[in-house]
Amino acid sequence: MDPLFYQAFLAFDSGRYDEAERFYALALAKYPFSQYEQYKQAAHGLAFTCCFQNKFDQAREIYTNLYRVAQDAHDLQWQAIVLHQQGVVERMAGNFCEAQAMFQKEYEFRVSHLSDDFAGFAANLYEQGHILLKLGDPAQALTIMHRSLDMAQQANDAMCLGCAYRGLGEIYAALDEHDRARTCFSLSGQAFEQAGDQVAAEEVRRFEMALL
């Protein structure tokens, strides 16, 4: 791994976003489009870091460029990833309707080109369910989040399972169905532990304890 990426990852993981941005920007300047794998990693890392600093216009520009590069490379997987991340940008910016439209675009792209990517569908449906909850439609959010769980189970992906169960827990909590919410948070914590994400596991345990 290029030391720039390693330093950027460590800085991001520690919440030092200014430092992470600097390292990712250096990496992006180092790797042109022709060095596709490194360019993707640098662009994605920089754009995502910008989101955590509320630099949403910069993130949008980087992801737009990355999408064009992925199209030129006929890289369907990364086209879907970038569509997903463009939805994440709008969600983090608080533009929930725009985010939902982007996640729907990603979903349709996956149906057409990546129909067997169950983990990708699980992540997409999680975001759609999460946004529906934010938009005040917990009933529809519940339906979508159950679909996310189904896809996560088909993928047998612990991280996706953790997210889907956490999403269900949040929806059930909003519906005042606290027993179901606690069960989902418990299952989410177990899945996150299996995935090795102790931070997420502890977070859902706090959610669970708050409902006691």
Side-chain angles (χ1 to χ4, degrees):
M1 177 186 288
D2 187 313
L4 287 172
F5 290 129
Y6 182 67
Q7 291 171 308
F9 172 79
L10 289 179
F12 183 91
D13 200 44
S14 300
R16 303 192 309 272
Y17 301 125
D18 287 346
E19 187 178 338
E21 180 187 2
R22 181 165 59 85
F23 285 124
Y24 278 127
L26 287 170
L28 189 60
K30 179 178 179 180
Y31 293 111
F33 297 160
S34 59
Q35 291 177 270
Y36 180 57
E37 293 302 321
Q38 295 91 337
Y39 169 80
K40 285 190 303 186
Q41 186 177 353
H44 177 39
L46 180 57
F48 196 50
T49 302
C50 286
C51 288
F52 280 81
Q53 300 172 286
N54 296 325
K55 298 179 179 180
F56 299 115
D57 284 342
Q58 188 173 338
R60 291 183 186 104
E61 181 180 357
I62 295 167
Y63 278 132
T64 296
N65 292 335
L66 180 53
Y67 188 77
R68 291 196 192 102
V69 174
Q71 280 184 310
D72 290 343
H74 305 290
D75 188 339
L76 296 174
Q77 187 68 49
W78 264 86
Q79 287 178 61
I81 289 170
V82 176
L83 289 172
H84 184 88
Q85 290 305 122
Q86 287 175 317
V88 170
V89 172
E90 299 308 327
R91 189 252 295 160
M92 292 181 72
N95 301 323
F96 298 129
C97 291
E98 291 86 345
Q100 187 74 328
M102 187 57 68
F103 287 125
Q104 185 60 37
K105 182 178 179 180
E106 178 208 349
Y107 182 87
E108 292 167 1
F109 183 91
R110 289 184 178 279
V111 168
S112 297
H113 302 290
L114 299 164
S115 59
D116 59 349
D117 183 4
F118 299 121
F121 279 112
N124 174 275
L125 291 165
Y126 168 81
E127 289 284 358
Q128 293 204 50
H130 180 71
I131 288 172
L132 284 165
L133 180 61
K134 291 285 189 183
L135 290 172
D137 191 350
Q140 182 64 14
L142 187 62
T143 298
I144 297 298
M145 199 64 74
H146 272 294
R147 289 178 59 200
S148 175
L149 177 60
D150 179 62
M151 290 293 175
Q153 289 169 334
Q154 290 189 64
N156 194 26
D157 185 295
M159 183 62 71
C160 289
L161 285 167
C163 290
Y165 277 123
R166 180 180 61 196
L168 286 170
E170 290 173 335
I171 295 166
Y172 281 126
L175 293 169
D176 292 325
E177 297 188 36
H178 290 180
D179 288 343
R180 286 184 173 180
R182 283 194 296 270
T183 297
C184 289
F185 285 139
S186 177
L187 291 168
S188 175
Q190 292 172 34
F192 281 133
E193 282 193 345
Q194 184 182 345
D197 191 335
Q198 294 298 326
V199 173
E202 286 299 320
E203 180 185 42
V204 293
R205 292 232 162 76
R206 288 195 295 273
F207 292 164
E208 183 182 357
M209 294 301 294
L211 295 174
L212 293 176

